Amino acid sequence: QVQLVESGGGLVEAGGSLRLSCAASGRTFSGYVMGWFRQAPGKEREFVAAISWSGGITHYAGSVKGRFTISRDNAKNTVYLQMNSLKPEDTAVYHCAGGAVVLSTNPAEYNYWGQGTQVTVSS
């Protein structure tokens, strides 16, 4: 079992930046694909970014490509999401996900989920 705990969310003005962290405990997560998803009120959970177990391959949703960067530190069992040039439409609860064996945009491929951290971008 892997436990995931997100941190780093908050309120930021449009154009600002935030860095989310996801700390994993329990079983080692170094062999798994990790991802970030987000869910805004009244909307379905949406893929944001994913990273391979080695960190060498990443994939982004079109809406965040060029603004967000996913990375991981397997020695610290932590995955990060650097978010720049934030927009009001980025407002959502951001969830860390793990346990996938392939780089996937489908939340059903991920076995472990964090509780989420709120990101609010004001205009």
Side-chain angles (χ1 to χ4, degrees), residues 35-97:
W36 286 95
F37 290 76
R38 65 187 183 187
Q39 189 164 17
K43 294 188 177 182
E44 293 188 354
R45 191 164 293 190
E46 174 189 31
F47 169 78
V48 176
I51 188 167
S52 64
W53 71 270
S54 69
I57 301 172
T58 57
H59 182 59
Y60 297 92
S63 58
V64 308
K65 197 169 186 177
R67 300 187 297 122
F68 290 11
T69 302
I70 188 171
S71 62
R72 68 191 293 166
D73 185 339
N74 289 339
K76 295 182 178 180
N77 281 355
T78 302
V79 62
Y80 306 96
L81 185 68
Q82 177 67 44
M83 306 186 294
N84 299 329
S85 303
L86 282 161
K87 305 175 181 180
E89 50 264 43
D90 294 318
T91 295
V93 176
Y94 282 71
H95 295 270
C96 176

Side-chain angles (χ1 to χ4, degrees), residues 12-14 87-88 121-123:
V12 63
E13 292 185 351
K87 305 175 181 180
V121 184
S122 63
S123 56

